[in-house]
Amino acid sequence: MHISIYKSLVPAAWILILCGGLCYSLNAQPDATLDVKKPAKFENRVLGSDKTFTTKFTLPRRLNQNLITHYNFFFNANNKLNDILAGAKENFKDDYTELLPFYNYTLETTSAQKIQLDSVLYKCNAGIMLHDLRNDWIDNFYLLMGKAYFFRKQFDSANIAFQYLNYYFQPKKKDELGYKKFVGSNLNEEGNVYSVTTREKGSLTSRIFTEPPSRNDALIWLVRNHIEDSSYGEAAGLIETLKQDQNFPARLKPSLYEVKAYWFYKNEIWDSAANNLVLALDNAANAGEKSRWEYLVGQLYAMSGKTDLSYKYFELAIRHTVDPVMDVYARLNQIRLSKGSDDQKLIDENIKELLKMAHRDKYENYRNIIYYTAAQMEMQRNNFLSAQTYLRKSVQYNNGDMDQRNRSFLYLGDLAYDRKYYQLAHDCYDSLDITSPVIKHADSLIYRKQVLSQIVSRLNLISVEDSLQHIASRPEADRDKLIKELAKKLRKEKGLKESDSSAINSNNPFANKAVTDIFGTNEKGEWYFNNMAMKSSGFTEFRKNWGNRPNVDNWRRLSEVNARLNMGGNQKPITEQSAAPDNSNLKSNPTDISYAGLLKNVPLTPDAIRISNDSIQSAYYGLGKIFKDKLEFYADAIDTYETLLKRFPNAVHREEIYFDLYYCYSKLGQAEKAKQYRNLLAENFSQSRYVGYIDNPKLAEQEQDATKVAATKSYEAIYNLFIEGNFDEALKQKKSADSLFGKKYWNPQLLYIESIYYIKQKQDQEAIASLNSLISLDPNSQMAKKAETLVSVLKRRKEIENYLTKLKVERMKEDTVIVFNELPKPVPVEQVQKDNRQKSAAGPPSNKDSAKAVVDSSQMKKLPAAKSATSYSFRPADQHYVVIVLDKVDIVYVNETRNAFNRYNQENYYSTPIEMSLLPLDDTHKLVLMSPFSDAGTALDYVDKAKKVAGAQVVPWLAPEKYSFIIISADNLEVLKNNKDLAAYRKFLETHFPGKF
């Protein structure tokens, strides 16, 4: 088939062309004309569609055209579209805990099959253009074409196809003037009949031997297209028109109810959506889809408060479904809907029914879901303890359903968090897979988990120190007895004998051969890996000492751990502090579990008790700060601070505590209590700045603004030091600024150029740390994307450098420039392309030909003066350079700028190679030259486009005042090289190109 004829046109263009003129005798339009300009190669070829106007449509021709058009084109295209839809349905997974989507596929999935849908469109175009337009399948092609555009989410093109089918295949009646019938009017001979559809023949013969008119189907699809395009007004108007149409065919009424139900569903009118979906159930493709819609109807009626109807349709879903998961959830929903006179009694009955289900073999694989539902019912009467028990069972009986496991942990974590059970909440959140689709707000959950970790560590410290002080306060005999019993218990948990306690060192698993000979046997005859107690203690000790290390080689190396973690997303790297052993946890998880080792942790001396009390004070103060600043739990902050003051009236942070208590009571509207702590602050700390903040709230804002201004100026100065090459001073001042202002006022540009400096110095870990800080500031910015790419490259730096070394390519040093005594004239584009083709044919250049005329940056001031004209000339037709003027920028960042624009040129001007070179003009300015541009206008076009994206995409790390664009001809460049008066040349440009530079 001569596909080249129609492949050169976009399918949407064919629709627009054909809208101007298709004609046929039986299905085509008698007033249409076909005026399609063919490619020169085929302009003398007669297509099948051309013969529409010159050939009689005899019965043999009609049979032949119908047969070929149907089976060679429409049949294949329709099957391909059905396969795409079937694949989308197969990959779709329903979440029965939430309201089901209306359809069991998504347009995002179908639109991803762009190549296959393009194939459908090409077959449709070919089927139309290569055959007589009077055959019976033309309208089917246009319907299929509209569907293909719909599934590609190109709703405007789909709308054109459906509307074309609606207009050109409308009912028609030739009178003496050749007019069509009037659509939606009573001017037709039928009388007062308002109709927009095509009347379909109802005889048995016509139903067997002819296809129904696709125009009517197109109207239904047009409604669906409007809904998906959020054009709800147009969709509602067409629905109502079709509903009132007396000629609307009975076969399409379920489809009309379907799109009507979908309209109500999208507009969240649940009862009307359910009522119409009930009438559309026969439109389901198979029994599975019908039962799914019945389940959805049950959900919709439940949301509308119609319990009886909801129960009925859940029962129908149970009866018809072949999906056991739907069966379980439908039964669970029925239990929720069960009637009863007493709410408490009703909940008890429902839970009993659920537990009966859990004990049946039929539902053994769904116990996790059943117990999860039981927990939800317990929470209807606020019974947290029972809900916790059922959620733990839900996790216990999990059969590999990770989504349900995450759902159970998330629900239990949220319940515990709301009830201030912070340890339980932290443990549940720590067990979650953050990437699970169950997690809807992963960022907030990660933040909550980090805060909970800080809370739990402080609560544990307080608990441990209080316990140790209590042990220390007991009589010596009781204390010794208690410690010995504890040591015995710990040894037993670790699977040790009492006699081994003095020699054990759990930090070194190979220090005690009797215990840790992992390939030997102990007296019990158990191999190490079969001893669960030893395995558990070993795993615990490893995580305590080394952190959560991945199961990879080089697990001891922090850089390798961070590299592995960062591969999974924008996770913050482990710091040395967090990866190291947590010394604050040594008392709660002692490494030496002998009597002497445990006794060391007990504070028996005044100094030890003082240190213990200081730790408790610090933990309480930190808790109060977390509750106040990070969670805004003001009541909890008040309880924490007042507990601290009660235990330690002369607390170290008393001044800050008084102010925080004033703030928290003010937030809770308790003015008297707030005033009390303001007075305490004034009495005990009369010179405190916090008193000034209370009496003059604007003072804090003024100080904060002043700090922000000072920090901004400081970091801007550091940025300039970096960009100008004064690296030692920049690093010194940044260290000082960080000590004053912290990380709060860092900006992405500074972090990026700092990382470039570290890369230059081959300090890759410092560079990665700076880039990760940049990413955390704004993960979605262009700077962050560049930083992620750079981090990825740095992690493979050794591999890349080894590869380049093996290639034996001489690379130009980064701190050197090419200096031209006489800059080459711009070469015509045609010549450049010709030279590139010749170079490509000749093969790669030899090493001896690479990177000539290289000198280091110390020679940039020694450009010899060239003899040339002394004034600038205006010849816009001459070839021009585009020049990036860099002002006080070190060669390190000059090269980075050149590389950035080189990447930009390769991506956006790949068909026209742009040569780049570097020219130092004077002590301050360096010029990055780009050529060739055929004239000044072409160069200006480049500048206009580059200016718009340079600051956001190309060099976002470079301050705007550090670079600018100009254009210059080769002759004028010679003049500029001699006089070095850049300001004069800018004035010259402004004269001839006002407002451009």
Side-chain angles (χ1 to χ4, degrees):
M1 295 300 174
H2 300 277
I3 305 300
S4 301
I5 296 176
Y6 59 87
K7 238 184 180 181
S8 60
L9 292 177
V10 179
W14 277 105
I15 297 175
L16 296 174
I17 292 169
L18 294 172
C19 283
L22 289 180
C23 69
Y24 60 92
S25 62
L26 294 174
N27 285 328
Q29 303 300 317
D31 60 341
T33 58
L34 184 63
D35 185 16
V36 180
K37 186 176 180 180
K38 302 174 187 175
K41 185 177 179 181
F42 299 98
E43 61 185 2
N44 295 322
R45 178 176 175 80
V46 178
L47 298 178
S49 55
D50 295 330
K51 297 179 182 179
T52 302
F53 316 103
T54 60
T55 307
K56 288 184 179 181
F57 200 51
T58 60
L59 180 61
R61 178 173 177 79
R62 177 178 180 178
L63 293 173
N64 183 57
Q65 288 291 309
N66 283 341
L67 188 66
I68 296 174
T69 307
H70 180 199
Y71 290 105
N72 282 16
F73 290 90
F74 179 82
F75 179 80
N76 293 326
N78 190 54
N79 282 352
K80 181 163 288 191
L81 189 63
N82 289 336
D83 289 343
I84 293 168
L85 192 57
K89 290 179 179 180
E90 185 177 348
N91 294 326
F92 186 82
K93 184 178 180 182
D94 278 313
D95 181 359
Y96 295 103
T97 63
E98 298 182 356
L99 180 66
L100 295 186
F102 195 88
Y103 291 103
N104 58 338
Y105 61 90
T106 65
L107 295 185
E108 285 72 20
T109 305
T110 59
S111 61
Q113 301 295 318
K114 184 176 181 298
I115 295 175
Q116 297 300 321
L117 289 170
D118 281 346
S119 177
V120 173
L121 291 168
Y122 288 140
K123 286 180 183 296
C124 289
N125 286 321
I128 294 169
M129 298 304 296
L130 298 180
H131 301 98
D132 195 305
L133 300 178
R134 295 166 292 186
N135 76 71
D136 298 332
W137 294 94
I138 300 300
D139 58 337
N140 303 85
F141 276 125
Y142 281 112
L143 179 63
L144 197 60
M145 189 182 294
K147 290 181 183 180
Y149 279 122
F150 175 83
F151 288 122
R152 281 185 62 170
K153 294 186 69 175
Q154 292 180 310
F155 302 125
D156 53 348
S157 297
N159 185 74
I160 292 172
F162 294 139
Q163 288 285 26
Y164 170 79
L165 186 55
N166 174 37
Y167 181 74
Y168 277 99
F169 290 83
Q170 65 180 279
K172 51 203 169 297
K173 174 178 176 292
K174 244 185 154 181
D175 58 17
E176 63 277 4
L177 297 177
Y179 291 149
K180 301 182 181 73
K181 282 186 178 181
F182 294 95
V183 177
S185 173
N186 62 351
L187 296 179
N188 300 308
E189 64 182 12
E190 288 89 346
N192 294 324
V193 176
Y194 294 87
S195 177
V196 298
T197 57
T198 301
R199 183 188 294 274
E200 296 185 5
K201 297 177 181 179
S203 66
L204 180 63
T205 305
S206 62
R207 288 201 298 267
I208 294 175
F209 295 103
T210 61
E211 287 286 321
S214 294
R215 177 177 176 273
N216 292 336
D217 299 82
L219 292 171
I220 297 293
W221 277 94
L222 191 57
V223 175
R224 173 88 188 276
N225 192 67
H226 284 320
I227 295 173
E228 295 292 357
D229 201 23
S230 300
S231 301
Y232 297 117
E234 290 85 343
L238 186 51
I239 287 172
E240 196 60 30
T241 301
L242 295 176
K243 180 181 175 183
Q244 302 298 330
D245 195 322
Q246 297 184 18
N247 291 332
F248 189 78
R251 69 178 181 88
L252 289 178
K253 285 188 176 179
S255 299
L256 181 59
Y257 288 125
E258 177 186 329
V259 293
K260 191 176 179 182
Y262 190 41
W263 189 95
F264 284 119
Y265 178 93
K266 296 289 281 187
N267 287 275
E268 300 183 0
I269 306 173
W270 307 125
D271 54 346
S272 296
N275 292 335
N276 283 278
L277 186 54
V278 168
L279 299 173
L281 288 175
D282 291 338
N283 216 38
N286 50 53
E289 291 187 15
K290 183 176 182 180
S291 62
R292 182 186 178 278
W293 267 350
E294 288 169 339
Y295 184 92
L296 177 57
V297 169
Q299 288 182 310
L300 294 172
Y301 277 133
M303 295 173 71
S304 305
K306 297 181 178 181
T307 305
D308 293 340
L309 288 172
S310 178
Y311 192 95
K312 171 187 174 182
Y313 282 96
F314 282 132
E315 182 64 35
L316 289 173
I318 293 169
R319 193 182 307 166
H320 297 149
T321 188
V322 293
D323 182 357
V325 179
M326 184 192 293
D327 183 304
V328 171
Y329 274 107
R331 293 180 187 277
L332 296 180
N333 280 306
Q334 280 186 320
I335 291 173
R336 287 197 188 100
L337 296 168
S338 297
K339 292 184 177 180
S341 57
D342 180 45
D343 287 345
Q344 193 75 12
K345 183 179 179 182
L346 171 62
I347 293 173
D348 285 335
E349 291 176 355
N350 288 342
I351 291 175
K352 286 179 182 177
E353 288 297 321
L354 285 173
L355 297 181
K356 286 180 183 178
M357 284 181 64
H359 288 91
R360 293 177 192 164
D361 293 340
K362 178 181 178 181
Y363 301 109
E364 181 179 358
N365 292 330
Y366 308 103
R367 289 176 181 173
N368 55 342
I369 300 171
I370 294 170
Y371 285 123
Y372 178 80
T373 307
Q376 290 180 311
M377 290 185 177
E378 287 288 4
M379 288 311 301
Q380 290 180 7
R381 55 185 176 184
N382 202 27
N383 189 350
F384 172 72
L385 293 179
S386 294
Q388 179 182 353
T389 301
Y390 288 131
L391 287 170
R392 289 185 184 278
K393 285 187 176 182
S394 175
V395 174
Q396 177 186 350
Y397 289 104
N398 188 275
N399 59 349
D401 184 353
M402 298 307 295
D403 284 346
Q404 182 57 51
R405 178 182 181 276
N406 282 307
R407 195 176 288 113
S408 299
F409 272 127
L410 180 62
Y411 187 40
L412 180 55
D414 289 344
L415 293 176
Y417 181 79
D418 293 339
R419 286 157 181 76
K420 316 297 183 187
Y421 299 137
Y422 295 119
Q423 180 69 62
L424 176 59
H426 175 268
D427 293 344
C428 290
Y429 292 148
D430 197 44
S431 301
L432 287 173
D433 176 10
I434 297 296
T435 62
S436 170
V438 171
I439 311 299
K440 304 299 183 184
H441 305 287
D443 292 340
S444 61
L445 188 62
I446 291 171
Y447 177 78
R448 180 181 287 189
K449 181 179 171 183
Q450 291 170 346
V451 174
L452 282 174
S453 179
Q454 298 171 22
I455 292 174
V456 167
S457 64
R458 286 167 172 79
L459 289 174
N460 287 340
L461 188 149
I462 293 170
S463 176
V464 169
E465 293 296 341
D466 283 344
S467 299
L468 292 174
Q469 288 190 23
H470 175 70
I471 293 172
S473 66
R474 301 184 68 171
E476 184 176 356
D478 291 346
R479 182 173 65 235
D480 289 347
K481 181 180 178 182
L482 180 63
I483 294 174
K484 287 177 181 177
E485 289 177 353
L486 181 60
K488 181 178 179 180
K489 178 183 176 183
L490 292 174
R491 287 196 303 273
K492 185 176 180 181
E493 289 176 354
K494 292 181 178 289
L496 307 177
K497 295 185 298 183
E498 292 186 26
S499 59
D500 294 332
S501 61
S502 60
I504 185 66
N505 180 358
S506 57
N507 271 333
N508 182 4
F510 300 100
N512 192 305
K513 188 174 185 295
V515 175
T516 58
D517 183 3
I518 64 174
F519 297 106
T521 57
N522 54 25
E523 292 182 0
K524 296 180 181 180
E526 290 182 329
W527 191 39
Y528 172 83
F529 293 106
N530 291 333
N531 189 325
M532 298 307 296
M534 294 176 68
K535 279 180 64 180
S536 176
S537 63
F539 178 74
T540 303
E541 289 298 320
F542 178 88
R543 290 193 64 175
K544 178 163 65 68
N545 289 310
W546 296 101
N548 189 19
R549 300 280 169 146
N551 185 20
V552 294
D553 293 336
N554 298 324
W555 57 266
R556 287 175 179 263
R557 289 179 54 197
L558 187 66
S559 60
E560 291 294 329
V561 175
N562 286 333
R564 292 280 175 178
L565 290 177
N566 285 333
M567 286 180 182
N570 296 329
Q571 300 175 0
K572 293 184 179 179
I574 297 176
T575 61
E576 290 289 351
Q577 184 178 1
S578 64
D582 183 5
N583 292 328
S584 66
N585 202 33
L586 290 178
K587 293 182 180 180
S588 58
N589 293 288
T591 56
D592 186 353
I593 57 175
S594 65
Y595 167 82
L598 296 177
L599 185 62
K600 276 192 247 179
N601 294 320
V602 181
L604 299 175
T605 65
D607 284 343
I609 293 175
R610 178 181 54 79
I611 292 171
S612 176
N613 285 332
D614 288 345
S615 298
I616 293 173
Q617 284 191 57
S618 178
Y620 270 120
Y621 180 68
L623 273 177
K625 282 290 185 186
I626 292 170
F627 288 137
K628 168 183 167 283
D629 296 332
K630 295 187 177 182
L631 296 178
E632 298 183 0
F633 291 174
Y634 299 120
D636 291 343
I638 289 171
D639 291 342
T640 304
Y641 282 139
E642 291 189 338
T643 301
L644 172 57
L645 291 175
K646 186 176 180 180
R647 290 189 60 175
F648 306 100
N650 297 315
V652 177
H653 300 287
R654 196 154 44 103
E655 179 184 1
E656 291 83 358
I657 292 171
Y658 285 156
F659 176 74
D660 284 353
L661 283 168
Y662 164 83
Y663 180 84
C664 291
Y665 275 119
S666 298
K667 282 290 185 181
L668 294 177
Q670 301 182 33
E672 287 298 322
K673 293 291 291 184
K675 184 178 179 181
Q676 175 187 335
Y677 281 103
R678 186 265 175 212
N679 293 336
L680 282 172
L681 186 61
E683 290 171 9
N684 292 276
F685 306 96
S686 56
Q687 302 301 317
S688 173
R689 71 182 188 279
Y690 295 115
V691 177
Y693 294 160
I694 295 172
D695 296 339
N696 181 14
K698 292 184 178 179
L699 181 63
E701 295 180 9
Q702 292 169 359
E703 287 189 6
Q704 187 176 4
D705 290 342
T707 302
K708 184 176 180 180
V709 170
T712 302
K713 287 183 178 179
S714 177
Y715 283 118
E716 284 178 353
I718 294 167
Y719 174 88
N720 287 328
L721 288 171
F722 265 117
I723 208 74
E724 293 172 11
N726 195 346
F727 301 118
D728 293 338
E729 184 63 22
L731 292 170
K732 179 180 176 182
Q733 289 195 21
K734 185 172 185 297
K735 184 177 180 181
S736 175
D738 289 347
S739 66
L740 289 173
F741 308 114
K743 303 177 181 180
K744 184 177 179 181
Y745 299 101
W746 283 357
N747 61 69
Q749 289 80 8
L750 174 61
L751 293 170
Y752 192 88
I753 64 168
E754 181 186 31
S755 69
I756 297 298
Y757 165 74
Y758 284 133
I759 293 169
K760 170 68 178 172
Q761 300 298 319
K762 295 189 180 296
Q763 298 175 8
D764 290 354
Q765 291 307 312
E766 289 81 355
I768 290 173
S770 294
L771 292 168
N772 282 329
S773 297
L774 186 161
I775 293 168
S776 65
L777 289 178
D778 186 2
N780 297 319
S781 66
Q782 287 292 331
M783 284 281 287
K785 293 175 182 176
K786 288 182 177 292
E788 288 172 358
T789 302
L790 201 50
V791 167
S792 175
V793 172
L794 283 173
K795 289 173 181 175
R796 297 181 292 114
R797 179 170 181 160
K798 188 173 181 181
E799 174 189 344
I800 294 170
E801 288 179 345
N802 288 339
Y803 175 75
L804 293 175
T805 301
K806 290 176 182 178
L807 291 180
K808 298 181 180 180
V809 175
E810 290 186 28
R811 296 182 59 205
M812 187 186 304
K813 295 182 180 179
E814 292 182 356
D815 58 350
T816 61
V817 296
I818 299 178
V819 178
F820 295 95
N821 290 334
E822 288 188 18
L823 277 164
K825 302 277 186 179
V827 182
V829 177
E830 295 79 4
Q831 184 61 40
V832 172
Q833 293 174 339
K834 181 179 178 181
D835 293 344
N836 287 339
R837 287 194 295 269
Q838 292 175 350
K839 290 178 183 177
S840 178
S846 61
N847 294 336
K848 65 182 181 180
D849 295 329
S850 59
K852 296 181 179 179
V854 177
V855 297
D856 62 36
S857 55
S858 63
Q859 298 178 342
M860 291 192 300
K861 302 177 183 178
K862 302 178 181 179
L863 281 175
K867 295 180 181 180
S868 62
T870 57
S871 60
Y872 299 116
S873 56
F874 180 63
R875 289 195 290 270
D878 287 357
Q879 292 184 341
H880 278 65
Y881 294 98
V882 170
V883 183
I884 306 169
V885 181
L886 299 168
D887 185 10
K888 294 183 180 178
V889 177
D890 186 77
I891 188 63
V892 172
Y893 305 109
V894 172
N895 282 315
E896 184 65 18
T897 304
R898 183 176 59 181
N899 293 337
F901 274 96
N902 189 38
R903 287 191 294 271
Y904 169 76
N905 292 338
Q906 289 175 353
E907 292 173 2
N908 295 277
Y909 297 91
Y910 49 84
S911 61
T912 307
I914 297 177
E915 301 292 332
M916 300 187 70
S917 54
L918 184 60
L919 173 68
L921 184 64
D922 53 35
D923 294 343
T924 302
H925 300 99
K926 300 177 184 68
L927 310 181
V928 176
L929 305 169
M930 290 186 276
S931 64
F933 294 91
S934 58
D935 52 43
T938 307
L940 278 174
D941 287 341
Y942 177 93
V943 170
D944 288 341
K945 292 177 182 177
K947 269 185 177 180
K948 293 176 183 178
V949 298
Q953 299 177 17
V954 187
V955 283
W957 47 269
L958 193 58
E961 63 271 14
K962 288 294 181 182
Y963 70 98
S964 59
F965 292 90
I966 62 173
I967 64 171
I968 193 168
S969 65
D971 293 337
N972 287 340
L973 183 58
E974 291 298 324
V975 177
L976 181 60
K977 283 173 55 182
N978 289 329
N979 62 33
K980 303 187 184 303
D981 191 349
L982 191 60
Y985 183 70
R986 288 186 188 279
K987 192 175 292 185
F988 168 81
L989 277 180
E990 185 63 28
T991 301
H992 295 284
F993 303 103
K996 290 292 186 180
F997 301 98

